[in-house]
Amino acid sequence: MAIITLTTDFGEKDHFAGATKGAIYSELHDVKIVDISHSISPFSIPEAAYIIKNAYSSFPKGTIHIIGIDSEINPENKHIAIKLDDHFFICANNGIMSMICTEIAPEKIVEINIHDKIQTSFPVLDVFVKAACHIARGGTLEVIGKTIHEIKPIKNIVPYVNDDKTQIIGSVIYIDNYGNVITNIKRSFFEAIQKGRAFEISARNNKFKTIYKKYSDFVNFEIEENKRNDEGRGLVVFNSGDFLEIAVYKSNSGTVGSASTLMGLGLMDAISVNFIKT
């Protein structure tokens, strides 16, 4: 049974997600459709890139991933289908796939060229569904597009490092459901520049000198529970995707607050890491 996933900024109120699923089932009755997320911030390419990068590899090889973000076709925003890591991705060529492609080279990329055969006022439904169902039936990418060799890069995907390797400047690429702030600084990148040196992470007026392995490592369990004051305090971890994350312990925007609300951090805000010379 073929699996098709959906990652979009459609939300849950409108008909778009349901219509897309209906169109898939109309072509393939025995397909399995999985919603990864329909809550991407509108047109947020970095958010979508982060979500799909961290979700796709949990699915079986051969899964087809439709990514419906900023998908209206124009001369600067063409549609592509990619085979990568034995998965298939259908999206606009707007940088969404560059976060994955910097780590894993695509096996094949085609620029989709079936638009003359179908309506395109709703490209995810009209174009992406057709391409996905074609692949699910065992069709090749060459039938639905012409081979290309490069995709559009995403801005700010790689953090900046100064010439003497004493500072990394990254940016916020995602804010999760808990208000935790995820940066574009990966563990491997951080450690390659760090080389064992002490450091200070700065996020607006907040500074951190420790990166924890997990959130609860922040807690001193030797102190009696009723004497601790950990909830609502900031910490830094490398999260499950190995991205540097600024969090608040047991964050809740309605009570203790979150990293985003308490520290005033939003998408694309700068986060710096300064390494201390030894």
Side-chain angles (χ1 to χ4, degrees):
M1 179 185 296
I3 300 174
I4 297 176
T5 77
L6 300 176
T7 303
T8 77
D9 57 3
F10 293 162
E12 302 295 338
K13 179 179 180 179
D14 300 316
H15 66 281
F16 303 116
T20 300
K21 295 177 188 179
I24 295 170
Y25 283 127
S26 293
E27 293 209 29
L28 297 171
H29 300 294
D30 60 349
V31 71
K32 177 68 174 179
I33 302 174
V34 178
D35 297 299
I36 292 179
S37 177
H38 294 296
S39 299
I40 306 297
S41 298
F43 303 101
S44 180
I45 293 168
E47 278 194 32
Y50 176 81
I51 288 289
I52 197 68
K53 173 179 170 43
N54 285 285
Y56 89 89
S57 59
S58 294
F59 289 87
K61 301 291 187 181
T63 298
I64 303 155
H65 306 277
I66 292 176
I67 312 171
I69 311 290
D70 187 30
S71 56
E72 183 173 282
I73 192 167
N74 62 54
E76 297 178 351
N77 200 43
K78 301 296 182 66
H79 294 155
I80 55 175
I82 297 177
K83 184 179 182 183
L84 180 150
D85 197 19
D86 288 327
H87 290 249
F88 296 92
F89 302 84
I90 302 164
C91 57
N93 190 9
N94 53 18
I96 283 175
M97 288 299 299
S98 59
M99 187 178 287
I100 302 175
C101 291
T102 56
E103 298 183 358
I104 303 174
E107 300 166 49
K108 185 174 290 292
I109 312 170
V110 301
E111 186 176 288
I112 297 172
N113 60 8
I114 59 174
H115 304 82
D116 59 330
K117 300 179 177 66
I118 52 182
Q119 300 296 317
T120 56
S121 59
F122 183 177
V124 173
L125 187 147
D126 295 333
V127 179
F128 293 4
V129 166
K130 296 292 184 185
C133 291
H134 167 78
I135 295 168
R137 295 188 188 99
T140 63
L141 297 187
E142 291 85 353
V143 171
I144 58 172
K146 62 177 182 179
T147 300
I148 60 174
H149 301 286
E150 295 182 350
I151 61 171
K152 187 181 293 185
I154 191 173
K155 294 180 180 178
N156 301 319
I157 189 173
V158 178
Y160 166 82
V161 181
N162 65 354
D163 292 337
D164 61 1
K165 304 293 193 296
T166 59
Q167 185 182 59
I168 297 173
I169 298 179
S171 57
V172 177
I173 58 171
Y174 187 72
I175 299 172
D176 71 13
N177 189 55
Y178 299 95
N180 298 326
V181 173
I182 292 92
T183 76
N184 62 343
I185 303 171
K186 292 212 70 175
R187 183 200 298 267
S188 57
F189 185 93
F190 180 96
E191 292 177 347
I193 305 300
Q194 179 193 15
K195 297 187 182 303
R197 292 176 291 178
F199 58 86
E200 183 176 76
I201 299 168
S202 298
R204 292 194 181 273
N205 297 323
N206 304 276
K207 299 186 183 301
F208 306 90
K209 296 183 179 181
T210 302
I211 300 175
Y212 294 95
K213 291 183 178 180
K214 59 183 186 293
Y215 303 102
S216 60
D217 285 346
F218 175 75
V219 179
N220 183 353
F221 288 100
E222 294 182 0
I223 299 174
E224 293 180 27
E225 186 174 358
N226 61 356
K227 294 181 180 179
R228 296 176 201 154
N229 188 28
D230 297 315
E231 292 187 16
R233 293 175 59 197
L235 68 146
V236 177
V237 297
F238 282 114
N239 67 15
S240 60
D242 263 352
F243 288 85
L244 188 75
E245 175 181 310
I246 300 172
V248 162
Y249 185 65
K250 291 195 173 180
S251 59
N252 184 326
S253 58
T255 55
V256 298
S258 69
S260 176
T261 57
L262 293 175
M263 301 179 198
L265 295 169
L267 289 173
M268 307 316 297
D269 281 354
I271 306 293
S272 65
V273 183
N274 292 286
F275 296 104
I276 299 168
K277 294 181 180 179
T278 56

